[in-house]
Amino acid sequence: MTLSKNPFIRLTLCFVSGLLAYHYLGKVTLVPWWALVIAFGIYLVLSLKRTFFKQALLSSLCFLLFFSLGAWRLHLFKDSASQKLTDKELAVVKAYKAVVTSVPEEKAKSYLCRMSIYAVWNGKSWATVSIPINAYLSPEKGGEINYGDLLFVEGRPSPTTPPSNPGVFDFQRYLALRLIHHQHFINGQFTLIGHKAPSLITEKANNLRQASIVRVKKYIKNKYAQGVTLALILGVKDALQNETLEAFSATGTMHVLAVSGLHVGIIYALVLLMLKQLGLSKRKYRWFLAIVSILVLWAYAFLTGLSPSVLRAVTMFSFVAIGKALSRNSSIYNTLTASALALLLYNPYLILNVGFQLSYVAVFGIVYLQPKLFGLIETRHLILEKVWAITCVSIAAQIATAPLSILYFHQFPTYFLVSNLLIIPAAFVILIFGLSVLVLSPISVLASAVAWLLSKVILSVNFLIVGMSNWPGSKIEGIYLSTMDAVLLYVVILFTVLFFVKKKFSYIRGALCFACCFGLSQVDHFYGYAQTNEFSVLDISKASVMDFRIGFKSKMIADSAFKVDIGQQKFNLYPKRLLAGSKQKPTEDQLVLNKSKTTLGTVFRFQGKTIMHLNHQLTDRFKPRVPILVDCLILGNNAVTNLDQLKGKIDFSKLIIDRSNSWYTDRQLTRQLDQLKKEYHSVRQNGYYSERWNRNL
């Protein structure tokens, strides 16, 4: 693969450079339009008569033009795609009208959907706007809402909020990349006032998907098999059980439950195979082959409700089909980067989308590495050959995606070779059977028979996947990588692969050099945590959670509800500990605290500091002879509603009010503390609290 024979690789890299530069540096990267016009004119003149000396200038001008195209595309995309209400404008909103722009997704305690506000009411008049928001509806009424419904909503949206605790998933940034800056917990405070779908095609696709969901549920009764079928065929994950997600994640087969490149690739391969059997794979039928393939792929995208992940995959394979029709010797790398460029021109923020990154990296890895790995072992046995082919695909994809997967998910599946050897053929069978159920649904007897077979296949696969997830060491968890670490790992992988391909020792020196840089980056990150003590109070609604750390050893102190809520621990506690290099699970805590329980509260003597946790109602029954002196007092569960209750009992240097206190208690205490000019921290008002100091080694 050479860049000179793959011009779209160079052009796409230039375009992506402009996107990223504008994203991180802003308008300073925008070259004036008149300068670009002049540069384009010079490029045209020089390209008419190329010489060796002019080639460098032409390359520089090409880079400038596509770099600027990327920067200007993102600038225009951000400016034209959405509006944002200021705090002053939000304050006067009493109600608004909005159209539902996505199918509501069922969550644990609500329905989530995207809406676009088209009119706001300030109490006197209506104003026309265009503001996308994230909306949460009550379980009772959210299920009745459909794509395209027009709603009258009482109240006002609020700005999206940043992460509440260190390292947690940045949902505010996630929404901002989709140009959404507001959210509203509507519950049932809305009225259906009409229906006007933003896109008739999308509405028809959603209706088809909904009808397909009904058919799947009709013929597949087992809840587990039903959930996997809906996820694998239609991309609907609402019915998946947590145990299923955990098992697939632990075995490195989670990609099967997200309809994307694998599924579209299977369908594309099936179409090619069927047409080949009909004798239509000859050169003279190349455009017929391409058109039929593209029509089938887009029909499948329509069946899945035109979900973004499927649209990306279908676009990619559509370009592959067109590339094959245009030229027998067309470069797959050129075709893939052309499809990526087309998608980024449509939505430049896809470059920061995890699914987009993983899809293209995985495909490039498979295309480049799989043939080279497959050629290492020769076998004439058909079954062994197929097993080795799937194994090579799995290895290639894992090598290509490992740094990104660890960066985003902080884990690595150790049995991915075995699990993918099972799941890839199984996905093929499940996809065929699932689509067959939909096609045969008018013939009840046949559909029921296929659905029965499908359920048996899924349950068998589940038995094996769950079994593998319980094998010792099925996954390595708690791996921290920064974005720069991931880049360094990719450079190491690139040099290592080039060494085996080119057989030049200089590539090994390069790999070792960047591996050292990676090691130094990791040491630099964790050294600061190794040398410090830390005491923190987490920002978790209606919960009292403290975390103590000495070096890499931690200890969590929390109320009983949080101790058993594994989901909350994974979301709010694990990321914080991941950053510090300590054990993530509280059940594996290694730090032993010096603590003593008193009538007033629990006292912790932690690395030279005295910390008291008071989380029960304080009464006047007990009053010490002299006040207990503490460096830090943490109040929880409305233990104190007036600071006068502490007089003569506890003297503190700093007061922390955690999130288990009511809004009223929090406001009452902070007002008193302001009047007394005492140092305090309200977790409700000021967020996560952390105090870090150097260890005495």
Side-chain angles (χ1 to χ4, degrees):
M1 180 184 69
T2 60
L3 292 180
S4 59
K5 294 181 180 179
N6 298 278
F8 273 105
I9 294 181
R10 291 183 292 174
L11 298 179
T12 303
L13 288 174
C14 295
F15 184 83
V16 168
S17 299
L19 289 180
L20 296 176
Y22 181 84
H23 176 71
Y24 290 108
L25 302 176
K27 294 183 179 180
V28 69
T29 59
L30 296 178
V31 178
W33 65 268
W34 55 265
L36 294 176
V37 171
I38 294 173
F40 183 66
I42 296 173
Y43 182 87
L44 288 177
V45 171
L46 293 177
S47 63
L48 294 176
K49 188 178 180 181
R50 295 189 180 188
T51 66
F52 176 79
F53 298 103
K54 292 178 182 177
Q55 190 60 46
L57 181 57
L58 282 169
S59 299
S60 300
L61 288 172
C62 185
F63 172 81
L64 173 65
L65 289 170
F66 271 83
F67 176 91
S68 298
L69 177 62
W72 274 103
R73 179 64 189 105
L74 183 54
H75 172 71
L76 295 173
F77 181 77
K78 291 179 68 175
D79 279 1
S80 63
S82 70
Q83 297 179 23
K84 185 177 178 181
L85 289 172
T86 64
D87 292 340
K88 186 177 180 180
E89 291 170 330
L90 271 175
V92 299
V93 174
K94 305 295 182 184
Y96 60 85
K97 295 177 183 178
V99 58
V100 178
T101 56
S102 73
V103 177
E105 301 174 31
E106 187 175 1
K107 300 297 181 182
K109 298 179 181 179
S110 64
Y111 275 86
L112 167 65
C113 69
R114 307 279 192 270
M115 301 200 311
S116 179
I117 300 175
Y118 61 87
V120 294
W121 173 255
N122 61 12
K124 297 179 180 179
S125 61
W126 287 97
T128 302
V129 295
S130 177
I131 301 165
I133 67 168
N134 223 36
Y136 298 86
L137 312 174
S138 66
E140 296 76 23
K141 300 188 70 174
E144 303 171 3
I145 299 304
N146 297 305
Y147 173 84
D149 282 349
L150 303 178
L151 307 181
F152 171 80
V153 183
E154 300 175 36
R156 66 175 68 94
S158 59
T160 54
T161 54
S164 53
N165 296 296
V168 304
F169 176 66
D170 193 342
F171 196 58
Q172 184 185 52
R173 179 178 179 273
Y174 171 84
L175 292 176
L177 294 177
R178 287 151 181 79
L179 304 177
I180 298 174
H181 303 284
H182 301 88
Q183 61 186 359
H184 195 185
F185 294 86
I186 298 172
N187 294 321
Q189 298 172 316
F190 66 88
T191 304
L192 182 63
I193 58 175
H195 183 89
K196 186 179 180 181
S199 168
L200 184 61
I201 294 176
T202 302
E203 182 177 41
K204 295 298 183 183
N206 286 328
N207 291 341
L208 178 60
R209 184 172 77 158
Q210 193 58 42
S212 301
I213 292 172
V214 172
R215 292 192 184 102
V216 168
K217 290 183 176 180
K218 176 183 177 181
Y219 290 106
I220 301 178
K221 303 299 182 182
N222 182 277
K223 293 297 182 182
Y224 172 80
Q226 192 181 98
V228 172
T229 302
L230 289 174
L232 201 147
I233 306 298
L234 302 173
V236 179
K237 299 181 182 179
D238 298 350
L240 285 174
Q241 301 173 3
N242 289 332
E243 294 78 6
T244 304
L245 295 171
E246 288 286 341
F248 275 78
S249 175
T251 53
T253 53
M254 193 68 179
H255 57 92
V256 172
L257 298 179
V259 177
S260 56
L262 173 64
H263 310 72
V264 176
I266 289 173
I267 292 174
Y268 180 59
L270 279 173
V271 173
L272 294 182
L273 180 62
M274 291 173 63
L275 293 176
K276 183 179 180 180
Q277 294 300 316
L278 295 173
L280 298 173
S281 60
K282 297 178 181 179
R283 180 67 180 167
K284 62 181 179 179
Y285 299 119
R286 65 186 187 279
W287 280 108
F288 176 79
L289 192 69
I291 291 170
V292 171
S293 301
I294 291 171
L295 288 175
V296 172
L297 293 178
W298 283 95
Y300 178 66
F302 197 80
L303 179 67
T304 63
L306 298 175
S307 66
S309 60
V310 178
L311 286 177
R312 289 196 300 269
V314 168
T315 300
M316 183 193 301
F317 280 95
S318 296
F319 270 78
V320 171
I322 293 171
K324 283 192 171 185
L326 285 172
S327 172
R328 183 175 296 175
N329 299 318
S330 64
S331 168
I332 184 64
Y333 306 106
N334 210 39
T335 303
L336 289 172
T337 47
S339 69
L341 181 59
L343 287 168
L344 292 172
L345 282 167
Y346 171 72
N347 181 358
Y349 264 140
L350 280 176
I351 192 62
L352 298 175
N353 181 280
V354 179
F356 179 88
Q357 294 173 4
L358 288 173
S359 293
Y360 274 93
V361 167
V363 172
F364 269 98
I366 291 170
V367 169
Y368 184 75
L369 291 175
Q370 196 273 346
K372 293 174 173 56
L373 293 171
F374 186 74
L376 295 176
I377 299 177
E378 293 185 9
T379 176
R380 295 181 180 179
H381 195 287
L382 181 61
I383 295 178
L384 290 178
E385 183 181 341
K386 297 301 180 184
V387 169
W388 177 234
I390 294 175
T391 302
C392 291
V393 169
S394 181
I395 294 172
Q398 204 67 46
I399 290 173
T401 60
L404 274 180
S405 297
I406 295 171
L407 173 66
Y408 292 121
F409 309 117
H410 312 297
Q411 63 182 30
F412 184 82
T414 53
Y415 301 127
F416 70 90
L417 281 178
V418 180
S419 59
N420 279 289
L421 194 60
L422 163 70
I423 203 65
I424 292 177
F428 183 89
V429 174
I430 294 170
L431 189 60
I432 299 301
F433 280 15
L435 292 174
S436 298
V437 170
L438 296 178
V439 172
L440 297 172
S441 57
I443 309 173
S444 182
V445 175
L446 291 178
S448 297
V450 176
W452 181 83
L453 286 172
L454 176 59
S455 297
K456 296 301 180 184
V457 170
I458 292 175
L459 292 174
S460 300
V461 170
N462 173 63
F463 176 78
L464 294 172
I465 291 293
V466 171
M468 287 183 200
S469 68
N470 291 324
W471 289 356
S474 62
K475 60 180 176 180
I476 303 171
E477 296 182 282
I479 311 173
Y480 170 80
L481 287 184
S482 67
T483 303
M484 181 53 66
D485 290 339
V487 171
L488 290 171
L489 275 183
Y490 270 118
V491 176
V492 171
I493 291 171
L494 176 62
F495 275 110
T496 304
V497 170
L498 287 174
F499 166 73
F500 285 105
V501 174
K502 304 290 185 181
K503 309 298 183 183
K504 291 184 178 179
F505 192 75
S506 58
Y507 289 119
I508 280 294
R509 289 199 296 268
L512 290 173
C513 177
F514 282 98
C516 290
C517 292
F518 171 78
L520 290 173
S521 175
Q522 288 277 297
V523 170
D524 178 65
H525 173 80
F526 288 112
Y527 181 78
Y529 291 100
Q531 305 300 315
T532 58
N533 310 303
E534 184 180 16
F535 162 67
S536 54
V537 180
L538 276 64
D539 182 2
I540 302 169
S541 180
K542 299 179 181 179
S544 180
V545 183
M546 298 178 293
D547 200 36
F548 296 83
R549 180 181 61 79
I550 299 177
F552 298 140
K553 295 182 179 180
S554 296
K555 179 65 178 178
M556 180 192 76
I557 303 295
D559 48 35
S560 56
F562 187 81
K563 286 180 179 179
V564 298
D565 194 336
I566 305 300
Q568 278 277 33
Q569 291 176 19
K570 286 184 176 180
F571 185 80
N572 285 296
L573 180 66
Y574 285 18
K576 168 193 174 300
R577 289 187 166 190
L578 175 75
L579 288 171
S582 60
K583 294 285 186 180
Q584 293 179 278
K585 298 179 181 179
T587 53
E588 299 175 355
D589 282 351
Q590 299 174 329
L591 181 62
V592 178
L593 290 176
N594 181 356
K595 65 177 182 179
S596 57
K597 290 188 176 181
T598 69
T599 307
L600 293 177
T602 305
V603 177
F604 302 92
R605 290 175 177 82
F606 179 68
Q607 297 295 290
K609 294 183 181 292
T610 303
I611 301 168
M612 174 178 278
H613 184 213
L614 178 57
N615 67 339
H616 61 266
Q617 289 290 326
L618 191 62
T619 65
D620 293 329
R621 294 180 181 177
F622 174 79
K623 186 174 182 180
R625 295 179 181 177
V626 294
I628 299 176
L629 300 176
V630 297
D631 296 299
C632 186
L633 173 63
I634 300 100
L635 294 179
N637 294 315
N638 302 308
V640 171
T641 56
N642 192 306
L643 292 179
D644 291 338
Q645 295 174 259
L646 298 175
K647 286 184 177 179
K649 298 178 182 177
I650 304 171
D651 277 349
F652 57 87
S653 299
K654 186 170 189 175
L655 181 68
I656 299 174
I657 309 166
D658 70 26
R659 282 294 301 274
S660 64
N661 294 282
S662 68
W663 177 88
Y664 175 81
T665 298
D666 187 276
R667 189 56 57 92
Q668 185 81 358
L669 292 174
T670 54
R671 284 175 178 172
Q672 286 185 285
L673 289 162
D674 285 332
Q675 291 174 357
L676 296 171
K677 296 183 179 180
K678 297 282 286 185
E679 187 178 0
Y680 72 91
H681 181 98
S682 166
V683 177
R684 180 183 294 274
Q685 298 178 37
N686 308 116
Y688 166 86
Y689 173 80
S690 176
E691 186 176 351
R692 192 188 302 182
W693 61 97
N694 290 330
R695 293 175 60 188
N696 296 320
L697 298 176

